Amino acid sequence: MPAITYPPPTGSPLGTNLAFKICTTIGIPILRAVSSREWSGSSYIPNSGPAIAASNHISYVDALFFAQFLYLHGRAPRFIGKKSIFEIPIIGKILYAAGQIPVERESGEAKQALDHAVAALAAGHLIAIYPEGTLTRDENLWPMVGKTGVARLAILTQAPVIPVAAWGTQRVLPRYGRRVHLWPRTRVTYRAGAPLDLSPWFGRAEEPQALIEATAFVMRALTAMLEDIRHEKAPEIPLDPRALMNRITVLGAGSWGSTLAQVLTDAGNNVLLWGRNPELVDEINHSHRNSTYLPGIILPALLRASENWEQAFAHSRTYVLAIPAQSLRPRLEEWKGAIGRDATIISTLKGIEVSTYMRMTEVIVDVLEIDPAQVAIITGPNLSSELALRQPAAAVAAAPTEELAHRVQKLFTTPYYRVYTSVDVVGCEMAGAVKSVIALGVGIAVGLDLGENTQAMLITRGLNEVARLGAAHGADPLSAAGLAGMGDLVASCSSPLSRNRTFGEALGRGGTMEYANAHVAMTVEGVASAGAVVELAHRVGVEVPVIEAVADVVSSLITPTQALQRLMEISTRSEDFIK
């Protein structure tokens, strides 16, 4: 792979180009209109040569003001920013054209961003960076424990690190806010400090402890400058965002929610399990059991439970949803005010909302009005009663970005629970919803005393329908061949522990929904979702005869026997996987 090179910075201010010049021509008058400036320390910003400007992060508009501060003091910065911002139409093109550097943290692309920054510094550019990597999560907006990228960059290049403290931008646009304060004008303070001496750590870029120490040195300098600006004292111990990341709330104390809470606790997380039943919560806290849903299972002693949903949401910023799919929207409407704008939502729900035909992640984004990049799923062949026994199992964590998928993977991974990653949210989520309907069909066949041949036909042709339906909605059809599709389908269709198969057996045996409902007293998502899945298929012109037959049975339009007869009368064609 050829070495990355950057041309030396040119223009005035140094490092500017046409795209940067256009942005500043438009942007600076707007910033001046909404704010008054209190700037100081400009003499510490070098007129030329490599430099790293590091600032605290308190508002989404920080980068605009930070860039203005540096630009009007002679340097056009190269920001290292989240890749998700670069993926926004038009904005991303402008950022690339202006020479900014995208980074997808905690992924293989993070090193590529570092290499670009090193090359830019070698050419004499100024790099602007937020060492925290994200908006501070400290409730009083003090700097958090920083990520080690700024230290690694400084140690590798020995470029001077200029601390730049910022205050006031949070009044222009509050942290996680959406409404810009236009009038009266807000005073915004930017103060540059003397270059920091990181020479004690030079030559130690591969030593984790050196990186931690150097990063802490940078953050202490920024915090001290901010204390002087605010005339307040910062906490002695800065907030460590990793501690917040490892605090997790599981919403739903049924068999699946309790099992996931156990997995997450075993993975080393601080877990709070929310449930509606005070007696059940008390049993979990004092006896470490959930005898109603997981009889015979001893839950981890460190696992805590609460029936207070406000306490549950205050516990963390990462929420795992384990409630019935069709009750998701009303629950989220109730909880919406307690869910922070920076929340990460992990859905374990498998179903399609009947009233809107939305997938569960779509419902979450619709109700909470959050960025889809904050929503992930975990899915796969996971029967709660087996997983609760800590029997070996696997799942897939799917998210819009590799960064979030890998984070979810780390949260859930234990010696007995192997988690893979995917960025095909649509494919994995669609497979999880549709497999429930196929499992109902297989259960019906079992209830009719039909053997493995029939069951294998339904599973295989059902998998074909899963793949074609996913592909028609933009998913990778091969996701249907993985844990989210084939894996989940095999487990749900072959195990008597599967709710959908168990309900299907009762339906096939008794012949009516009344009989099945009387003999299976549990939530069965395939029953609720069957009609919605058919509608999704019709909207994109995909034929799903197995799913349609099951939907007609649960709607009492035909009998189980008639459904099998109808399937056997369908004309056959070439067995292409997604045609």
Side-chain angles (χ1 to χ4, degrees), residues 263 267 378-382 387 390-397 408-421 483:
V263 171
I378 189 158
T379 186
N382 299 150
L387 188 57
R390 297 181 173 87
Q391 294 181 1
V396 58
V408 175
Q409 177 190 45
K410 291 177 182 178
L411 291 176
F412 281 86
T413 297
T414 72
Y416 61 88
Y417 197 52
R418 188 173 180 85
V419 182
Y420 295 82
T421 61
L483 287 166

Side-chain angles (χ1 to χ4, degrees), residues 272-324:
L272 182 65
L273 175 62
W274 172 84
R276 293 181 297 174
N277 188 318
E279 289 75 24
L280 185 151
V281 166
D282 186 71
E283 183 185 31
I284 293 172
N285 287 331
H286 294 95
S287 302
H288 312 302
R289 295 177 182 272
N290 184 340
S291 57
T292 302
Y293 295 103
L294 293 175
I297 300 296
I298 304 298
L299 296 169
L302 293 176
L303 174 62
R304 296 184 299 114
S306 174
E307 75 271 21
N308 185 324
W309 59 263
E310 292 178 333
Q311 179 185 358
F313 284 107
H315 175 75
S316 76
R317 292 293 183 270
T318 300
Y319 309 122
V320 177
L321 298 174
I323 59 177

Side-chain angles (χ1 to χ4, degrees), residues 30-179:
I30 295 174
L31 297 181
R32 284 175 170 166
V34 301
S35 66
S36 60
R37 302 182 311 205
E38 186 176 321
W39 290 355
S40 59
S42 60
S43 60
Y44 293 121
I45 302 173
N47 295 324
S48 61
I52 302 169
S55 185
N56 58 307
H57 201 2
I58 54 178
S59 170
Y60 285 133
V61 296
D62 282 344
L64 301 177
F65 286 94
F66 192 12
Q68 178 194 27
F69 176 73
L70 295 169
Y71 188 84
L72 294 181
H73 288 111
R75 300 299 296 266
R78 297 287 177 266
F79 276 90
I80 300 178
K82 288 183 179 180
K83 186 179 179 181
S84 58
I85 301 174
F86 288 74
E87 294 172 347
I88 300 173
I90 301 177
I91 292 177
K93 290 185 177 180
I94 294 173
L95 291 174
Y96 278 116
Q100 309 310 300
I101 302 171
V103 60
E104 187 159 7
R105 295 180 177 87
E106 301 180 22
S107 74
E109 295 184 27
K111 185 181 183 305
Q112 185 179 3
L114 177 69
D115 292 342
H116 274 273
V118 168
L121 287 168
H125 290 272
L126 182 145
I127 294 292
I129 189 170
Y130 291 108
E132 296 159 281
T134 188
L135 290 175
T136 179
R137 293 193 173 99
D138 183 273
E139 61 181 7
N140 294 312
L141 303 183
W142 291 106
M144 303 185 294
V145 172
K147 297 182 183 294
T148 57
V150 64
R152 188 184 298 274
L153 190 59
I155 293 170
L156 285 172
T157 64
Q158 298 187 15
V161 176
I162 315 298
V164 181
W167 190 245
T169 55
Q170 81 282 0
R171 290 190 286 267
V172 177
L173 180 64
R175 182 183 58 165
Y176 308 123
R178 294 187 175 187
R179 180 173 297 179

Side-chain angles (χ1 to χ4, degrees), residues 96-258:
Y96 278 116
Q100 309 310 300
I101 302 171
V103 60
E104 187 159 7
R105 295 180 177 87
E106 301 180 22
S107 74
E109 295 184 27
K111 185 181 183 305
Q112 185 179 3
L114 177 69
D115 292 342
H116 274 273
V118 168
L121 287 168
H125 290 272
L126 182 145
I127 294 292
I129 189 170
Y130 291 108
E132 296 159 281
T134 188
L135 290 175
T136 179
R137 293 193 173 99
D138 183 273
E139 61 181 7
N140 294 312
L141 303 183
W142 291 106
M144 303 185 294
V145 172
K147 297 182 183 294
T148 57
V150 64
R152 188 184 298 274
L153 190 59
I155 293 170
L156 285 172
T157 64
Q158 298 187 15
V161 176
I162 315 298
V164 181
W167 190 245
T169 55
Q170 81 282 0
R171 290 190 286 267
V172 177
L173 180 64
R175 182 183 58 165
Y176 308 123
R178 294 187 175 187
R179 180 173 297 179
V180 177
H181 178 80
L182 299 176
W183 191 261
R185 296 167 70 204
T186 300
R187 180 175 293 275
V188 173
T189 301
Y190 269 82
R191 179 181 298 178
L196 302 177
D197 181 14
L198 270 65
S199 61
W201 297 282
F202 286 172
R204 301 170 62 191
E206 301 306 318
E207 298 179 29
Q209 188 57 36
L211 294 173
I212 292 171
E213 292 173 1
T215 301
F217 180 73
V218 173
M219 298 311 297
R220 282 196 300 270
L222 277 172
T223 301
M225 293 170 63
L226 194 57
E227 285 180 327
D228 191 51
I229 291 171
R230 294 174 56 173
H231 306 294
E232 298 177 77
K233 193 69 177 174
E236 288 188 16
I237 301 176
L239 177 68
D240 187 343
R242 291 171 298 183
L244 283 181
M245 285 178 61
N246 291 331
R247 293 169 68 93
I248 300 173
T249 298
V250 177
L251 298 158
S255 58
W256 186 225
S258 298

